[in-house]
mmCIF file of all heavy atoms in Angstrom:
data_model
loop_
_atom_site.group_PDB
_atom_site.id
_atom_site.type_symbol
_atom_site.label_atom_id
_atom_site.label_comp_id
_atom_site.label_asym_id
_atom_site.label_seq_id
_atom_site.Cartn_x
_atom_site.Cartn_y
_atom_site.Cartn_z
ATOM 1 N N GLU Q 1 -5.789 12.994 -13.499
ATOM 2 C CA GLU Q 1 -7.194 12.592 -13.321
ATOM 3 C C GLU Q 1 -7.396 11.914 -11.964
ATOM 4 O O GLU Q 1 -8.349 12.209 -11.247
ATOM 5 C CB GLU Q 1 -7.621 11.675 -14.463
ATOM 6 C CG GLU Q 1 -9.045 11.179 -14.374
ATOM 7 C CD GLU Q 1 -10.091 12.263 -14.587
ATOM 8 O OE1 GLU Q 1 -9.771 13.343 -15.136
ATOM 9 O OE2 GLU Q 1 -11.254 12.023 -14.208
ATOM 10 N N VAL Q 2 -6.503 10.994 -11.619
ATOM 11 C CA VAL Q 2 -6.611 10.296 -10.325
ATOM 12 C C VAL Q 2 -6.446 11.292 -9.180
ATOM 13 O O VAL Q 2 -7.188 11.247 -8.193
ATOM 14 C CB VAL Q 2 -5.561 9.161 -10.220
ATOM 15 C CG1 VAL Q 2 -5.512 8.584 -8.820
ATOM 16 C CG2 VAL Q 2 -5.883 8.052 -11.228
ATOM 17 N N ALA Q 3 -5.502 12.212 -9.309
ATOM 18 C CA ALA Q 3 -5.209 13.170 -8.240
ATOM 19 C C ALA Q 3 -6.364 14.128 -7.973
ATOM 20 O O ALA Q 3 -6.494 14.640 -6.859
ATOM 21 C CB ALA Q 3 -3.944 13.946 -8.564
ATOM 22 N N THR Q 4 -7.214 14.372 -8.970
ATOM 23 C CA THR Q 4 -8.367 15.247 -8.734
ATOM 24 C C THR Q 4 -9.332 14.628 -7.730
ATOM 25 O O THR Q 4 -9.979 15.339 -6.977
ATOM 26 C CB THR Q 4 -9.138 15.566 -10.033
ATOM 27 O OG1 THR Q 4 -9.641 14.355 -10.587
ATOM 28 C CG2 THR Q 4 -8.281 16.301 -11.031
ATOM 29 N N LYS Q 5 -9.403 13.314 -7.719
ATOM 30 C CA LYS Q 5 -10.309 12.616 -6.801
ATOM 31 C C LYS Q 5 -9.601 12.139 -5.539
ATOM 32 O O LYS Q 5 -10.230 11.977 -4.500
ATOM 33 C CB LYS Q 5 -10.963 11.446 -7.529
ATOM 34 C CG LYS Q 5 -11.836 11.912 -8.678
ATOM 35 C CD LYS Q 5 -12.409 10.760 -9.465
ATOM 36 C CE LYS Q 5 -13.291 11.308 -10.559
ATOM 37 N NZ LYS Q 5 -12.914 10.927 -11.868
ATOM 38 N N HIS Q 6 -8.303 11.878 -5.651
ATOM 39 C CA HIS Q 6 -7.499 11.379 -4.521
ATOM 40 C C HIS Q 6 -6.173 12.140 -4.486
ATOM 41 O O HIS Q 6 -5.142 11.615 -4.930
ATOM 42 C CB HIS Q 6 -7.280 9.866 -4.645
ATOM 43 C CG HIS Q 6 -8.549 9.100 -4.542
ATOM 44 N ND1 HIS Q 6 -9.091 8.749 -3.332
ATOM 45 C CD2 HIS Q 6 -9.411 8.666 -5.491
ATOM 46 C CE1 HIS Q 6 -10.237 8.104 -3.551
ATOM 47 N NE2 HIS Q 6 -10.447 8.054 -4.846
ATOM 48 N N PRO Q 7 -6.195 13.363 -3.956
ATOM 49 C CA PRO Q 7 -5.003 14.219 -4.004
ATOM 50 C C PRO Q 7 -3.788 13.659 -3.258
ATOM 51 O O PRO Q 7 -2.666 14.079 -3.522
ATOM 52 C CB PRO Q 7 -5.462 15.521 -3.355
ATOM 53 C CG PRO Q 7 -6.910 15.410 -3.118
ATOM 54 C CD PRO Q 7 -7.338 14.009 -3.372
ATOM 55 N N SER Q 8 -3.994 12.701 -2.378
ATOM 56 C CA SER Q 8 -2.857 12.173 -1.615
ATOM 57 C C SER Q 8 -2.051 11.126 -2.387
ATOM 58 O O SER Q 8 -0.966 10.751 -1.963
ATOM 59 C CB SER Q 8 -3.335 11.568 -0.292
ATOM 60 O OG SER Q 8 -4.193 10.471 -0.550
ATOM 61 N N ILE Q 9 -2.559 10.678 -3.528
ATOM 62 C CA ILE Q 9 -1.831 9.653 -4.286
ATOM 63 C C ILE Q 9 -0.596 10.289 -4.924
ATOM 64 O O ILE Q 9 -0.635 11.424 -5.391
ATOM 65 C CB ILE Q 9 -2.727 8.980 -5.347
ATOM 66 C CG1 ILE Q 9 -2.092 7.682 -5.834
ATOM 67 C CG2 ILE Q 9 -3.042 9.918 -6.491
ATOM 68 C CD1 ILE Q 9 -3.046 6.763 -6.556
ATOM 69 N N SER Q 10 0.484 9.567 -4.925
ATOM 70 C CA SER Q 10 1.723 10.111 -5.501
ATOM 71 C C SER Q 10 1.834 9.772 -6.980
ATOM 72 O O SER Q 10 1.287 8.768 -7.455
ATOM 73 C CB SER Q 10 2.946 9.585 -4.755
ATOM 74 O OG SER Q 10 3.197 8.240 -5.097
ATOM 75 N N ARG Q 11 2.565 10.594 -7.682
ATOM 76 C CA ARG Q 11 2.844 10.370 -9.106
ATOM 77 C C ARG Q 11 3.558 9.023 -9.284
ATOM 78 O O ARG Q 11 3.243 8.254 -10.185
ATOM 79 C CB ARG Q 11 3.697 11.523 -9.639
ATOM 80 C CG ARG Q 11 4.011 11.446 -11.102
ATOM 81 C CD ARG Q 11 4.760 12.686 -11.583
ATOM 82 N NE ARG Q 11 3.815 13.741 -11.933
ATOM 83 C CZ ARG Q 11 3.624 14.857 -11.241
ATOM 84 N NH1 ARG Q 11 4.324 15.110 -10.169
ATOM 85 N NH2 ARG Q 11 2.742 15.754 -11.638
ATOM 86 N N ALA Q 12 4.522 8.741 -8.397
ATOM 87 C CA ALA Q 12 5.285 7.491 -8.484
ATOM 88 C C ALA Q 12 4.372 6.276 -8.348
ATOM 89 O O ALA Q 12 4.567 5.272 -9.034
ATOM 90 C CB ALA Q 12 6.372 7.459 -7.423
ATOM 91 N N THR Q 13 3.374 6.361 -7.476
ATOM 92 C CA THR Q 13 2.432 5.249 -7.297
ATOM 93 C C THR Q 13 1.662 4.992 -8.580
ATOM 94 O O THR Q 13 1.498 3.842 -9.002
ATOM 95 C CB THR Q 13 1.465 5.548 -6.137
ATOM 96 O OG1 THR Q 13 2.218 5.631 -4.928
ATOM 97 C CG2 THR Q 13 0.398 4.473 -5.999
ATOM 98 N N VAL Q 14 1.193 6.043 -9.222
ATOM 99 C CA VAL Q 14 0.439 5.888 -10.466
ATOM 100 C C VAL Q 14 1.344 5.324 -11.560
ATOM 101 O O VAL Q 14 0.979 4.356 -12.235
ATOM 102 C CB VAL Q 14 -0.197 7.225 -10.903
ATOM 103 C CG1 VAL Q 14 -0.803 7.116 -12.297
ATOM 104 C CG2 VAL Q 14 -1.253 7.656 -9.892
ATOM 105 N N TYR Q 15 2.535 5.871 -11.724
ATOM 106 C CA TYR Q 15 3.449 5.402 -12.762
ATOM 107 C C TYR Q 15 3.842 3.941 -12.527
ATOM 108 O O TYR Q 15 3.876 3.148 -13.466
ATOM 109 C CB TYR Q 15 4.702 6.277 -12.803
ATOM 110 C CG TYR Q 15 4.529 7.582 -13.544
ATOM 111 C CD1 TYR Q 15 3.528 8.489 -13.207
ATOM 112 C CD2 TYR Q 15 5.379 7.925 -14.568
ATOM 113 C CE1 TYR Q 15 3.384 9.688 -13.873
ATOM 114 C CE2 TYR Q 15 5.241 9.131 -15.247
ATOM 115 C CZ TYR Q 15 4.237 10.006 -14.901
ATOM 116 O OH TYR Q 15 4.098 11.192 -15.580
ATOM 117 N N ARG Q 16 4.133 3.591 -11.286
ATOM 118 C CA ARG Q 16 4.526 2.209 -10.961
ATOM 119 C C ARG Q 16 3.377 1.244 -11.257
ATOM 120 O O ARG Q 16 3.576 0.180 -11.843
ATOM 121 C CB ARG Q 16 4.946 2.121 -9.487
ATOM 122 C CG ARG Q 16 5.418 0.749 -9.055
ATOM 123 C CD ARG Q 16 5.928 0.727 -7.609
ATOM 124 N NE ARG Q 16 4.926 1.205 -6.656
ATOM 125 C CZ ARG Q 16 4.966 2.395 -6.023
ATOM 126 N NH1 ARG Q 16 5.948 3.239 -6.239
ATOM 127 N NH2 ARG Q 16 4.012 2.726 -5.188
ATOM 128 N N ASN Q 17 2.161 1.628 -10.881
ATOM 129 C CA ASN Q 17 1.012 0.762 -11.127
ATOM 130 C C ASN Q 17 0.690 0.651 -12.612
ATOM 131 O O ASN Q 17 0.283 -0.412 -13.074
ATOM 132 C CB ASN Q 17 -0.199 1.243 -10.323
ATOM 133 C CG ASN Q 17 -0.170 0.736 -8.913
ATOM 134 O OD1 ASN Q 17 -0.553 -0.394 -8.640
ATOM 135 N ND2 ASN Q 17 0.329 1.544 -7.988
ATOM 136 N N LEU Q 18 0.870 1.725 -13.361
ATOM 137 C CA LEU Q 18 0.666 1.637 -14.807
ATOM 138 C C LEU Q 18 1.624 0.624 -15.420
ATOM 139 O O LEU Q 18 1.222 -0.198 -16.250
ATOM 140 C CB LEU Q 18 0.875 3.010 -15.459
ATOM 141 C CG LEU Q 18 -0.266 4.004 -15.316
ATOM 142 C CD1 LEU Q 18 0.184 5.392 -15.745
ATOM 143 C CD2 LEU Q 18 -1.481 3.553 -16.108
ATOM 144 N N ALA Q 19 2.880 0.674 -15.009
ATOM 145 C CA ALA Q 19 3.871 -0.272 -15.539
ATOM 146 C C ALA Q 19 3.501 -1.708 -15.179
ATOM 147 O O ALA Q 19 3.575 -2.604 -16.021
ATOM 148 C CB ALA Q 19 5.261 0.068 -15.005
ATOM 149 N N ARG Q 20 3.094 -1.929 -13.943
ATOM 150 C CA ARG Q 20 2.704 -3.278 -13.507
ATOM 151 C C ARG Q 20 1.469 -3.772 -14.248
ATOM 152 O O ARG Q 20 1.399 -4.930 -14.650
ATOM 153 C CB ARG Q 20 2.436 -3.294 -12.004
ATOM 154 C CG ARG Q 20 3.679 -3.203 -11.165
ATOM 155 C CD ARG Q 20 3.337 -3.200 -9.699
ATOM 156 N NE ARG Q 20 4.541 -3.080 -8.883
ATOM 157 C CZ ARG Q 20 4.544 -2.745 -7.606
ATOM 158 N NH1 ARG Q 20 3.405 -2.486 -6.980
ATOM 159 N NH2 ARG Q 20 5.672 -2.666 -6.946
ATOM 160 N N MET Q 21 0.487 -2.889 -14.409
ATOM 161 C CA MET Q 21 -0.750 -3.280 -15.089
ATOM 162 C C MET Q 21 -0.496 -3.588 -16.561
ATOM 163 O O MET Q 21 -1.075 -4.529 -17.108
ATOM 164 C CB MET Q 21 -1.796 -2.173 -14.929
ATOM 165 C CG MET Q 21 -2.274 -2.021 -13.487
ATOM 166 S SD MET Q 21 -3.230 -0.518 -13.220
ATOM 167 C CE MET Q 21 -4.723 -0.907 -14.157
ATOM 168 N N ALA Q 22 0.381 -2.816 -17.186
ATOM 169 C CA ALA Q 22 0.718 -3.085 -18.591
ATOM 170 C C ALA Q 22 1.471 -4.405 -18.707
ATOM 171 O O ALA Q 22 1.205 -5.208 -19.609
ATOM 172 C CB ALA Q 22 1.530 -1.935 -19.165
ATOM 173 N N GLU Q 23 2.394 -4.658 -17.799
ATOM 174 C CA GLU Q 23 3.153 -5.913 -17.806
ATOM 175 C C GLU Q 23 2.235 -7.114 -17.589
ATOM 176 O O GLU Q 23 2.416 -8.164 -18.206
ATOM 177 C CB GLU Q 23 4.241 -5.880 -16.725
ATOM 178 C CG GLU Q 23 5.018 -7.161 -16.598
ATOM 179 C CD GLU Q 23 5.833 -7.519 -17.828
ATOM 180 O OE1 GLU Q 23 6.239 -6.617 -18.568
ATOM 181 O OE2 GLU Q 23 6.058 -8.724 -18.060
ATOM 182 N N ALA Q 24 1.225 -6.940 -16.739
ATOM 183 C CA ALA Q 24 0.286 -8.027 -16.461
ATOM 184 C C ALA Q 24 -0.748 -8.191 -17.572
ATOM 185 O O ALA Q 24 -1.468 -9.188 -17.604
ATOM 186 C CB ALA Q 24 -0.426 -7.776 -15.124
ATOM 187 N N GLY Q 25 -0.839 -7.215 -18.484
ATOM 188 C CA GLY Q 25 -1.811 -7.304 -19.566
ATOM 189 C C GLY Q 25 -3.177 -6.767 -19.202
ATOM 190 O O GLY Q 25 -4.141 -6.966 -19.931
ATOM 191 N N ASP Q 26 -3.284 -6.045 -18.079
ATOM 192 C CA ASP Q 26 -4.565 -5.468 -17.669
ATOM 193 C C ASP Q 26 -4.910 -4.231 -18.488
ATOM 194 O O ASP Q 26 -6.081 -3.899 -18.649
ATOM 195 C CB ASP Q 26 -4.522 -5.076 -16.191
ATOM 196 C CG ASP Q 26 -4.286 -6.277 -15.293
ATOM 197 O OD1 ASP Q 26 -4.713 -7.393 -15.653
ATOM 198 O OD2 ASP Q 26 -3.679 -6.099 -14.218
ATOM 199 N N ILE Q 27 -3.895 -3.529 -18.960
ATOM 200 C CA ILE Q 27 -4.035 -2.398 -19.857
ATOM 201 C C ILE Q 27 -2.931 -2.545 -20.908
ATOM 202 O O ILE Q 27 -2.039 -3.367 -20.739
ATOM 203 C CB ILE Q 27 -3.908 -1.035 -19.132
ATOM 204 C CG1 ILE Q 27 -2.542 -0.902 -18.450
ATOM 205 C CG2 ILE Q 27 -5.054 -0.830 -18.152
ATOM 206 C CD1 ILE Q 27 -2.287 0.468 -17.831
ATOM 207 N N ALA Q 28 -3.008 -1.758 -21.949
ATOM 208 C CA ALA Q 28 -1.972 -1.828 -22.991
ATOM 209 C C ALA Q 28 -1.177 -0.536 -23.001
ATOM 210 O O ALA Q 28 -1.746 0.558 -22.985
ATOM 211 C CB ALA Q 28 -2.617 -2.046 -24.351
ATOM 212 N N ASN Q 29 0.132 -0.673 -23.007
ATOM 213 C CA ASN Q 29 1.015 0.462 -23.259
ATOM 214 C C ASN Q 29 1.196 0.477 -24.767
ATOM 215 O O ASN Q 29 1.863 -0.394 -25.321
ATOM 216 C CB ASN Q 29 2.350 0.284 -22.542
ATOM 217 C CG ASN Q 29 3.322 1.409 -22.792
ATOM 218 O OD1 ASN Q 29 3.209 2.136 -23.771
ATOM 219 N ND2 ASN Q 29 4.298 1.539 -21.917
ATOM 220 N N ILE Q 30 0.579 1.440 -25.435
ATOM 221 C CA ILE Q 30 0.612 1.432 -26.897
ATOM 222 C C ILE Q 30 1.849 2.122 -27.446
ATOM 223 O O ILE Q 30 1.997 2.284 -28.647
ATOM 224 C CB ILE Q 30 -0.673 2.013 -27.524
ATOM 225 C CG1 ILE Q 30 -0.910 3.455 -27.108
ATOM 226 C CG2 ILE Q 30 -1.858 1.140 -27.170
ATOM 227 C CD1 ILE Q 30 -2.061 4.102 -27.842
ATOM 228 N N GLY Q 31 2.736 2.494 -26.564
ATOM 229 C CA GLY Q 31 4.024 3.002 -26.987
ATOM 230 C C GLY Q 31 4.118 4.505 -26.957
ATOM 231 O O GLY Q 31 3.157 5.210 -26.669
ATOM 232 N N SER Q 32 5.289 4.954 -27.285
ATOM 233 C CA SER Q 32 5.582 6.381 -27.301
ATOM 234 C C SER Q 32 5.247 6.941 -28.663
ATOM 235 O O SER Q 32 5.807 6.535 -29.669
ATOM 236 C CB SER Q 32 7.053 6.620 -26.976
ATOM 237 O OG SER Q 32 7.341 7.990 -27.058
ATOM 238 N N VAL Q 33 4.307 7.837 -28.670
ATOM 239 C CA VAL Q 33 3.883 8.444 -29.921
ATOM 240 C C VAL Q 33 4.469 9.843 -30.029
ATOM 241 O O VAL Q 33 4.987 10.236 -31.050
ATOM 242 C CB VAL Q 33 2.340 8.496 -30.005
ATOM 243 C CG1 VAL Q 33 1.878 9.234 -31.235
ATOM 244 C CG2 VAL Q 33 1.771 7.089 -29.959
ATOM 245 N N ASP Q 34 4.458 10.587 -28.955
ATOM 246 C CA ASP Q 34 4.919 11.973 -28.948
ATOM 247 C C ASP Q 34 5.979 12.192 -27.867
ATOM 248 O O ASP Q 34 6.131 13.277 -27.359
ATOM 249 C CB ASP Q 34 3.740 12.903 -28.712
ATOM 250 C CG ASP Q 34 2.969 12.542 -27.442
ATOM 251 O OD1 ASP Q 34 3.390 11.606 -26.726
ATOM 252 O OD2 ASP Q 34 1.946 13.193 -27.155
ATOM 253 N N GLY Q 35 6.695 11.131 -27.541
ATOM 254 C CA GLY Q 35 7.692 11.206 -26.475
ATOM 255 C C GLY Q 35 7.168 10.720 -25.145
ATOM 256 O O GLY Q 35 7.925 10.593 -24.184
ATOM 257 N N SER Q 36 5.876 10.444 -25.059
ATOM 258 C CA SER Q 36 5.260 9.937 -23.834
ATOM 259 C C SER Q 36 4.537 8.628 -24.141
ATOM 260 O O SER Q 36 3.924 8.496 -25.200
ATOM 261 C CB SER Q 36 4.227 10.925 -23.291
ATOM 262 O OG SER Q 36 4.825 12.152 -22.966
ATOM 263 N N ALA Q 37 4.611 7.696 -23.202
ATOM 264 C CA ALA Q 37 3.866 6.449 -23.365
ATOM 265 C C ALA Q 37 2.378 6.739 -23.234
ATOM 266 O O ALA Q 37 1.966 7.557 -22.415
ATOM 267 C CB ALA Q 37 4.296 5.434 -22.314
ATOM 268 N N HIS Q 38 1.594 6.075 -24.042
ATOM 269 C CA HIS Q 38 0.133 6.203 -23.994
ATOM 270 C C HIS Q 38 -0.452 4.854 -23.612
ATOM 271 O O HIS Q 38 0.063 3.807 -24.017
ATOM 272 C CB HIS Q 38 -0.402 6.649 -25.353
ATOM 273 C CG HIS Q 38 -0.051 8.064 -25.682
ATOM 274 N ND1 HIS Q 38 -0.940 9.095 -25.540
ATOM 275 C CD2 HIS Q 38 1.106 8.618 -26.124
ATOM 276 C CE1 HIS Q 38 -0.350 10.224 -25.890
ATOM 277 N NE2 HIS Q 38 0.890 9.958 -26.251
ATOM 278 N N TYR Q 39 -1.547 4.879 -22.851
ATOM 279 C CA TYR Q 39 -2.148 3.665 -22.331
ATOM 280 C C TYR Q 39 -3.564 3.519 -22.846
ATOM 281 O O TYR Q 39 -4.273 4.501 -23.068
ATOM 282 C CB TYR Q 39 -2.139 3.684 -20.798
ATOM 283 C CG TYR Q 39 -0.733 3.650 -20.250
ATOM 284 C CD1 TYR Q 39 -0.029 4.814 -20.009
ATOM 285 C CD2 TYR Q 39 -0.095 2.431 -20.021
ATOM 286 C CE1 TYR Q 39 1.275 4.784 -19.542
ATOM 287 C CE2 TYR Q 39 1.204 2.397 -19.555
ATOM 288 C CZ TYR Q 39 1.886 3.569 -19.312
ATOM 289 O OH TYR Q 39 3.173 3.536 -18.862
ATOM 290 N N ASP Q 40 -3.969 2.269 -23.021
ATOM 291 C CA ASP Q 40 -5.279 1.932 -23.574
ATOM 292 C C ASP Q 40 -5.900 0.857 -22.710
ATOM 293 O O ASP Q 40 -5.257 -0.147 -22.409
ATOM 294 C CB ASP Q 40 -5.098 1.425 -25.009
ATOM 295 C CG ASP Q 40 -6.377 1.378 -25.812
ATOM 296 O OD1 ASP Q 40 -7.473 1.534 -25.231
ATOM 297 O OD2 ASP Q 40 -6.284 1.168 -27.036
ATOM 298 N N ASN Q 41 -7.152 1.060 -22.296
ATOM 299 C CA ASN Q 41 -7.848 0.024 -21.529
ATOM 300 C C ASN Q 41 -8.729 -0.846 -22.418
ATOM 301 O O ASN Q 41 -9.361 -1.766 -21.951
ATOM 302 C CB ASN Q 41 -8.663 0.638 -20.386
ATOM 303 C CG ASN Q 41 -9.747 1.578 -20.856
ATOM 304 O OD1 ASN Q 41 -9.757 2.006 -22.007
ATOM 305 N ND2 ASN Q 41 -10.666 1.917 -19.982
ATOM 306 N N ARG Q 42 -8.717 -0.574 -23.703
ATOM 307 C CA ARG Q 42 -9.437 -1.419 -24.662
ATOM 308 C C ARG Q 42 -8.452 -2.476 -25.153
ATOM 309 O O ARG Q 42 -7.525 -2.161 -25.891
ATOM 310 C CB ARG Q 42 -9.948 -0.568 -25.816
ATOM 311 C CG ARG Q 42 -10.969 0.458 -25.369
ATOM 312 C CD ARG Q 42 -11.269 1.436 -26.513
ATOM 313 N NE ARG Q 42 -12.008 2.569 -26.020
ATOM 314 C CZ ARG Q 42 -11.457 3.723 -25.648
ATOM 315 N NH1 ARG Q 42 -10.152 3.892 -25.722
ATOM 316 N NH2 ARG Q 42 -12.195 4.714 -25.206
#
């Protein structure tokens, strides 16, 4: 989704920021449901 609007962003940047945001409590990592972590902004 991010890459459609900003194609120059790297996958690693998005993954790293997701981890940081979840650790900071800005978003929730609701865990691995189907082998992939899912994120929630609620």
Side-chain angles (χ1 to χ4, degrees):
E1 179 69 18
V2 171
T4 61
K5 296 176 178 122
H6 295 276
S8 63
I9 196 163
S10 75
R11 182 175 274 109
T13 296
V14 171
Y15 280 55
R16 182 176 57 253
N17 277 279
L18 282 168
R20 287 179 181 164
M21 292 168 69
E23 176 64 28
D26 298 329
I27 60 174
N29 178 339
I30 60 173
S32 177
V33 175
D34 55 3
S36 299
H38 290 259
Y39 295 90
D40 195 349
N41 62 345
R42 296 170 192 95

